[in-house]
Amino acid sequence: MRPKRPAGPRAPRLLDPLPLASAQVAVRPGMSVRTRLRQLHEIARELGVMLNAHVLEQRDDRKDDPIRSLRTVGAFGPGLLMNHAIHPTDEEIALTGAHDVRVAHCLLSNMRPATGIMPLPALHRHGVRAGLGDDGGTNDTSDMFSVMKAAVGLQRARHEDAGIHPTVPAVLRMATLGGAECIGMADRVGSLTPGKRADVVVLDPGTLNFAPRFDRTGQIVFNGQPSNVGEVFVDGRLRKARGELVEVDTARVVREAERAAARLRTAA
């Protein structure tokens, strides 16, 4: 089961009509705000989009019992994407799997403020679908190669077990089809499958950081860098060629981003 696509007259006014854009309803759950949480959950259902919640990122978040609040309002199911989920109890981990709640593993974001490490192996044992996330690009580079490497290494170091989940193939899946499953789009993106959108990343393995070449999957995860990306196709359209963005004025994008950041700093 996955959320229905936006329908009805309200959706075009509320959602960006760009074909590559999608939306979710963001919430910060808790028993103290459950009335508002119920309202936002109803809005997400009406629009046919997922509910996106930051859950148990900090230990102090437990004070307001966010998972109980999501269960109370009927939002704890496959239409929910929980970000972080670092400090769930064993019972909450089991419930997450039993209710097919999806989880975004934003590990580099969690490292910066030292909030903890997601119990990813335990979630995996309970069948929880997990994808990799940047949490809004807070790891500075939005580099999925770095996220994959760290996702494998972090659990290995914590458990002192080189075979712990995620394995190398598992983390590559989390970065692709697993992520698509988490946002309810696995029928459209996440793998090269007939009938899906033609989203393709072409890597150049003939570079120094990829040599010697013998384990393609391991080299993508452990050796891969953004500079290895030669071409990118999104929905069949060429967006990056020979390592350069197509039809994008990068200098203008940087200027506009800096102006926007300056406005936010001033307002804050």
Side-chain angles (χ1 to χ4, degrees):
M1 176 180 177
R2 64 177 177 80
K4 296 178 181 178
R5 297 181 186 181
R10 293 189 60 189
R13 295 198 301 270
L14 294 175
L15 302 181
D16 193 323
L18 291 173
L20 300 181
S22 61
Q24 297 180 358
V25 174
V27 297
R28 175 74 74 171
M31 293 302 292
S32 65
V33 293
R34 61 185 179 276
T35 299
R36 178 63 172 165
L37 179 61
R38 180 176 287 106
Q39 292 170 342
L40 291 170
H41 172 47
E42 291 172 356
I43 290 172
R45 292 180 63 183
E46 179 182 348
L47 292 174
V49 300
M50 295 189 73
L51 198 68
N52 186 302
H54 283 226
V55 177
L56 296 172
E57 180 179 8
Q58 309 272 354
R59 289 191 184 277
D60 286 348
D61 293 343
R62 176 155 301 287
K63 294 176 182 177
D64 208 15
D65 216 340
I67 289 183
R68 183 159 72 98
S69 73
L70 288 162
R71 297 182 65 201
T72 298
V73 304
F76 204 68
L80 171 66
L81 177 64
M82 294 198 305
N83 302 300
H84 309 300
I86 296 173
H87 302 290
T89 64
D90 291 343
E91 180 184 6
E92 289 169 339
I93 290 173
L95 285 169
T96 300
H99 288 80
D100 198 18
V101 175
R102 317 299 166 84
V103 172
H105 186 24
C106 307
L107 59 153
L108 294 185
S109 169
N110 303 147
M111 289 180 184
R112 177 176 292 192
T115 55
I117 301 173
M118 175 192 279
L120 188 57
L123 289 161
H124 177 67
R125 286 195 296 272
H126 284 276
V128 177
R129 303 193 207 195
L132 299 179
D134 282 334
D135 192 21
T138 52
N139 65 331
D140 298 331
T141 62
S142 297
D143 174 4
M144 190 55 68
F145 295 105
S146 293
V147 175
M148 287 192 292
K149 281 190 280 284
V152 173
L154 189 63
Q155 298 298 335
R156 287 184 178 185
R158 180 174 191 178
H159 295 275
E160 299 182 35
D161 180 359
I164 198 74
H165 181 82
T167 61
V168 173
V171 85
L172 185 57
R173 189 184 188 281
M174 288 176 68
T176 52
L177 185 58
E181 289 173 346
C182 286
I183 58 176
M185 293 180 67
D187 62 331
R188 286 164 277 169
V189 300
S191 64
L192 295 178
T193 306
K196 290 189 181 184
R197 295 178 180 176
D199 292 351
V200 184
V201 177
V202 181
L203 303 178
D204 178 9
T207 56
L208 288 174
N209 65 297
F210 261 84
R213 294 172 286 178
F214 59 91
D215 177 0
R216 298 293 190 182
T217 303
Q219 285 168 297
I220 290 171
V221 172
F222 290 128
N223 298 58
Q225 300 172 8
S227 58
N228 293 120
V229 178
E231 280 71 39
V232 175
F233 295 83
V234 179
D235 203 10
R237 180 179 174 184
L238 184 64
R239 297 284 180 169
K240 189 174 186 179
R242 297 179 296 279
E244 299 292 336
L245 294 175
V246 175
E247 298 176 358
V248 175
D249 184 346
T250 55
R252 178 183 175 186
V253 171
V254 171
R255 289 195 303 271
E256 291 180 351
E258 290 179 342
R259 282 199 294 268
R263 288 197 301 272
L264 288 172
R265 283 195 297 269
T266 300

